[in-house]
Amino acid sequence: MTIIYPTQQEQDRALLVVKELFSNDFYDALCYSLDESRAGHYYRLGLDNWLNGHHELLNRLSIVMYSGETKVCIIDEFNPNWVLKISFNRATDPDYVTRKIAWDFCEREVEFYSKACDNNLQDCFAATYQLGKINGVFISIQEAVDADEDVFGDIFDSYVREQYDRDDFEDEEDYEEAVSESTEDMDNEDRIYAVLGADSDGLIEFIHEHNINDLHAGNWGITSDGRYVLMDFSGFIS
């Protein structure tokens, strides 16, 4: 497969968006600060507060933001083939610093995608590149995919059902309970085999080598050409 890259026009649009965000104090959204309303030393991410004060800006830019535990994703109506991703600044939370997990998760994804290409595994991942740095913050740009958790949840469910014989259970309720529990407890290897098939040993070796984990249904997507790919593959440590 030919590796895809954002066009110059797509990169220019993405840079315009992030520059506009950072000119409106977006750096504060990525940082943690001490929450004095709570007991102890609890640090709260600034994203929710920033979003509450910038609805008009998001509407003007025609963008929508989604966030997880480690990063924010920016969907742009005028740049539909690519998604912007920016990590939260864990270096501003002393707990992450103490535990030595104040990583830039977007930088990790760019590094892992480059290594996947070197190992001819690019078809298993959404294409991911560094767009640049704004105010010292690493910005990545990733191939847009259809992230439908129901699709991949059904794939996991079907894979597990193939491992069981209904006749081994006393009734339908016991069977469904076993399927549900096993689907919930699937390890990353089985999730990869479920989605990509038996010929996935190379990818499994790759994720073990780079400590890529947390491959639940929400971290997969479907590309415009119909491939099933990982689209959140930075690994996760809470």
Side-chain angles (χ1 to χ4, degrees), residues 142-162:
Q142 185 177 85
E143 176 184 10
V145 298
D146 180 9
D148 190 331
E149 290 191 45
D150 290 339
V151 168
F152 293 97
D154 288 345
I155 290 173
F156 295 162
D157 178 85
S158 296
Y159 178 83
V160 168
R161 289 179 187 278
E162 292 176 358

Side-chain angles (χ1 to χ4, degrees), residues 30-34 41-45 88-102:
L30 306 173
C31 296
Y32 296 83
S33 60
L34 182 64
H41 290 81
Y42 178 80
Y43 281 73
R44 182 183 298 278
L45 184 66
F88 301 132
N89 186 355
R90 285 190 165 190
T92 57
D93 185 330
D95 179 56
Y96 290 132
V97 174
T98 299
R99 292 191 285 144
K100 298 181 179 180
I101 53 174

Side-chain angles (χ1 to χ4, degrees), residues 26 28-30 45-52 65 67 72 88:
F26 189 62
D28 295 341
L30 306 173
L45 184 66
L47 181 62
D48 286 343
N49 283 340
W50 186 90
L51 288 172
N52 288 335
M65 291 187 184
S67 63
V72 61
F88 301 132

